[in-house]
Amino acid sequence: MHHVILGAGPAGVVAAETLRKLDSKCKITLVGGEGEPPYSRMAIPYLLSGDIDEGGTYLRHDKTHYDDLDIKYVQANAKSVDSKAKTVALDGAKDLNYDTLLIATGSSPLQPPVKGIDLPGVSTCWTLEDSRNILKTAKKGDSVVLMGAGFIGSIILEALVKMGVKLTVVEMGDRMVPRMMDDTAGNMMKRWCQEQGVTVLTGAKIEEISGDKSGLQVAVSNGDKLDAKLVVVAAGVAPNIDFLKKSGVKTGAGVIVDEHLATSAPDVYAAGDVAEARDLSTGEWDVMAIQPVAVEHGYLAAQNMAGVPTPHQGSLNMNVLDTLGLISSSFGSWQGVKGGESAKLVDEDGFRYLRLEFSGDQLVGGQAVGMTENIGVMRGLIQTGYHLGDWKDKLMKSPQRLTEAYVAASQGVTHV
Amino acid sequence: MLKALVIDPGKCTGCKQCELACSLEQEGVFNVSKSRIRVFDFHEEARFIPYTCTQCDEAWCQQACPVNAITTTDDGVKVVHDNLCVGCKVCTIACPFGTVNYNASTGKVIKCNMCGGDPACAKICPTDAIVYADVEQAGHSRMEDWAKKTDSGAQATA
């Protein structure tokens, strides 16, 4: 049995390890497109800020990890898949035959259609190669413009500030992280960043980038003309599915999968950023490009590939972000559900915010700013669907009693 | 033999000596806010519930860590390696029990590490509400039951 895994991010690596656990004899080939050993994009900001070296971003630290598990690592990009012949054509290595195939090719940054986006000095911040470029281009005191204050933009933001650059952030939405946090939270974060000396322009768009290596000019829709040594583009990501045209594998926004993470083609599965899989909160099929989901998918896809049918009940959307020391998180249906109720604690001066969303007496979503203690119980309550009974009323009055509510619900100290 | 903290809330009197012992052992200070075990006081019910990491088998925190900074010891304890932890906090939202926390002063996450095999909370507990014992005992299997309730399917073999 030969399992081929395309993509060596968290989904691919976890899948390869899980397959080995389940079957000591099968042949496993892990195909990664980049020159480095499998690493974590999540760790890139800490590389930029100088907290770690490149080795610190690696998913596994033991140099012989993949050899020890008899996982064959191949550096190449997938050119095409023929799901009838069960072959993968690779760019940079010999084509492969597979018995089962996992598509875990992740996503790539979007290049918005802005004039000058391809100039030298304009970079995404997605790969180790990107981070080397950024570190080479921008030095302490240089002016840097960051396009996008979504989740990725906001994570890079902190790293750029730690590099000592003069930073301006340009975000099209009306607040920071508009797809992760509500307006109270997003504006609180904006105010926090501005108080730390970062210029944050919201409801603004970069219209044109001009100039050359010696310096760039950035024209913003509000009329500002910004000088920049470097422009970092963080305008979202999209699944890497282009190589699947004519493969027989159905795609939409991502690779379409069923509840076993199997695609429309026989013995082909998908996992991670590239898969359009079930969202636990909505029950809908969606691309959820976050680390914990990649790991879940990788694990489950491997079980199914190894012949241990394991359905995926859906993943919970969740994010955590540290923006210059202000920590925010959101979970599930943080924007609320129809017919639901909402409890809020707002402390603008203290930069603290907690919002809980209920459906009946069950927690379905939440977000927090400046509050981190036991924050995981938010996931616990949403995912278990515990009926909170009288604790729901307590939380409506005092949302900060969330951990108590979780312990009460899980230990049977509730009156439903 | 795998050992674990076996907690019997029925025996807890809410004295919170475990919290003091934990903070002293882990952080070198008597400060309950730095404790990795917490006693919840449900005074309306006259119940106290000590609460800490259950060291679950296929731990969510461990699986979610993007840089493999949480590993399992021979005793089954999930420990954070400060030299590898980058402080991304993904484990703090992934743990459905909320028992991995971010420590802003070090930039790393902290969780119960069983004090390296001699947990201070169990040693100090005057009523045996917290006992360091063989995992086969009933208390632990109850904790595992909660763990299963929060299962997304990702821990099918847990």
Side-chain angles (χ1 to χ4, degrees):
Chain A
M1 182 62 96
H2 185 200
H3 303 289
V4 172
I5 298 166
L6 299 178
V13 166
V14 168
E17 292 167 347
T18 306
L19 283 166
R20 178 54 74 223
K21 245 186 241 170
L22 295 169
D23 181 353
S24 59
K25 294 196 181 70
C26 65
K27 191 173 157 194
I28 303 170
T29 306
L30 178 64
V31 182
E34 295 176 50
E36 303 81 7
Y39 67 91
S40 169
R41 303 206 194 287
M42 282 291 302
I44 282 179
Y46 307 94
L47 172 67
L48 289 177
S49 58
D51 293 340
I52 53 170
D53 59 16
E54 286 195 12
T57 68
Y58 295 172
L59 287 168
R60 302 293 179 257
H61 300 287
D62 192 342
K63 279 199 178 99
T64 59
H65 178 77
Y66 303 98
D67 290 343
D68 292 349
L69 293 176
D70 197 16
I71 293 167
K72 191 177 175 208
Y73 184 77
V74 174
Q75 191 203 330
N77 281 299
K79 268 196 305 198
S80 62
V81 171
D82 182 339
S83 63
K84 279 213 183 84
K86 294 187 125 182
T87 56
V88 182
L90 298 177
D91 198 351
K94 252 188 6 201
D95 295 355
L96 296 169
N97 296 307
Y98 65 81
D99 294 305
T100 78
L101 177 70
L102 179 65
I103 298 163
T105 45
S107 47
S108 292
L110 292 167
Q111 287 283 76
V114 170
K115 203 177 164 198
I117 198 96
D118 49 357
L119 285 171
V122 182
S123 176
T124 53
C125 182
W126 190 241
T127 61
L128 281 178
E129 186 57 30
D130 287 343
S131 31
R132 286 178 210 126
N133 285 336
I134 289 171
L135 286 168
K136 237 189 305 179
T137 311
K139 301 287 175 206
K140 203 174 171 174
D142 286 344
S143 293
V144 173
V145 173
L146 173 62
M147 181 194 281
F151 176 73
I152 294 167
S154 296
I155 274 203
I156 303 166
L157 184 156
E158 165 155 311
L160 291 168
V161 170
K162 282 190 175 166
M163 283 170 63
V165 303
K166 276 184 261 165
L167 188 64
T168 303
V169 186
V170 183
E171 163 60 39
M172 277 166 60
D174 63 353
R175 58 183 189 268
M176 290 181 69
V177 279
R179 294 199 299 136
M180 172 184 155
M181 308 293 289
D182 68 12
D183 50 355
T184 304
N187 285 312
M188 198 180 269
M189 290 166 69
K190 176 180 171 179
R191 194 161 51 83
W192 172 268
C193 290
Q194 285 181 315
E195 286 188 12
Q196 319 251 338
V198 177
T199 307
V200 183
L201 307 174
T202 49
K205 217 173 129 183
I206 292 182
E207 291 184 326
E208 188 181 341
I209 306 166
S210 54
D212 53 37
K213 263 195 171 159
S214 60
L216 299 167
Q217 287 80 48
V218 180
V220 186
S221 58
N222 67 356
D224 283 1
K225 295 263 188 293
L226 306 168
D227 287 324
K229 189 78 196 298
L230 170 75
V231 176
V232 179
V233 179
V237 296
N240 291 322
I241 51 174
D242 283 354
F243 71 102
L244 292 172
K245 283 174 194 158
K246 295 183 193 159
S247 65
V249 176
K250 243 191 230 161
T251 58
V255 177
I256 313 270
V257 294
D258 67 10
E259 62 165 4
H260 290 91
L261 297 168
T263 71
S264 60
D267 302 315
V268 181
Y269 296 77
D273 284 16
V274 79
E276 218 178 306
R278 188 179 279 161
D279 179 330
L280 185 74
S281 295
T282 61
E284 304 285 324
W285 303 81
D286 216 342
V287 171
M288 295 171 81
I290 57 172
Q291 162 93 16
V293 171
V295 171
E296 273 178 25
H297 283 178
Y299 179 85
L300 288 169
Q303 296 264 11
N304 289 306
M305 288 164 79
V308 185
T310 314
H312 176 228
Q313 287 148 17
S315 297
L316 185 69
N317 191 25
M318 53 188 176
N319 279 294
V320 62
L321 191 59
D322 190 338
T323 318
L324 306 172
L326 186 66
I327 298 164
S328 54
S329 56
S330 73
F331 298 80
S333 301
W334 55 266
Q335 61 285 71
V337 292
K338 216 176 160 187
E341 281 176 281
S342 168
K344 287 182 190 176
L345 173 92
V346 189
D347 173 9
E348 288 282 355
D349 295 336
F351 290 98
R352 285 178 351 127
Y353 179 51
L354 186 63
R355 171 174 163 182
L356 304 179
E357 288 294 336
F358 299 94
S359 174
D361 68 347
Q362 292 170 299
L363 190 75
V364 293
Q367 43 183 320
V369 180
M371 301 171 91
T372 61
E373 197 65 20
N374 306 119
I375 198 67
V377 298
M378 199 106 77
R379 177 188 194 179
L381 280 170
I382 297 169
Q383 209 152 325
T384 53
Y386 279 133
H387 287 281
L388 288 160
D390 54 341
W391 269 95
K392 191 237 171 154
D393 302 324
K394 291 177 191 169
L395 288 177
M396 286 299 291
K397 287 189 204 104
S398 313
Q400 70 278 14
R401 297 183 71 186
L402 190 66
T403 309
E404 277 177 86
Y406 178 75
V407 174
S410 60
Q411 298 264 318
V413 198
T414 45
H415 303 281
V416 177
Chain B
M1 182 173 30
L2 290 185
K3 289 176 84 179
L5 290 175
V6 178
I7 293 176
D8 181 353
K11 291 181 179 170
C12 178
T13 61
C15 74
K16 304 206 175 195
Q17 289 186 62
C18 53
E19 294 186 358
L20 286 167
C22 177
S23 68
L24 180 66
E25 175 72 25
Q26 298 288 347
E27 306 290 335
V29 286
F30 282 120
N31 181 348
V32 293
S33 73
K34 298 196 169 191
S35 174
R36 299 175 192 191
I37 187 164
R38 226 178 121 184
V39 178
F40 286 88
D41 176 356
F42 295 97
H43 56 268
E44 289 161 16
E45 318 283 334
R47 282 187 67 181
F48 298 101
I49 300 177
Y51 186 72
T52 188
C53 171
T54 63
Q55 315 291 348
C56 30
D57 185 9
E58 302 262 345
W60 287 265
C61 60
Q62 184 174 25
Q63 297 190 14
C65 177
V67 292
N68 220 21
I70 302 175
T71 61
T72 308
T73 68
D74 292 343
D75 300 328
V77 181
K78 307 298 177 298
V79 292
V80 179
H81 298 275
D82 280 358
N83 61 325
L84 297 175
C85 174
V86 295
C88 77
K89 310 165 197 71
V90 171
C91 56
T92 71
I93 60 167
C95 168
F97 306 101
T99 50
V100 190
N101 279 294
Y102 180 63
N103 181 350
S105 58
T106 59
K108 313 280 177 187
V109 295
I110 50 174
K111 66 179 288 300
C112 168
N113 59 9
M114 296 283 203
C115 301
D118 189 16
C121 55
K123 250 193 309 191
I124 200 83
C125 179
T127 60
D128 286 346
I130 308 166
V131 180
Y132 188 52
D134 185 348
V135 290
E136 296 310 312
Q137 294 196 13
H140 188 74
S141 60
R142 199 166 143 207
M143 289 187 211
E144 281 190 333
D145 288 344
W146 313 344
K148 280 178 194 136
K149 280 194 158 178
T150 55
D151 203 321
S152 69
Q155 277 76 31
T157 60

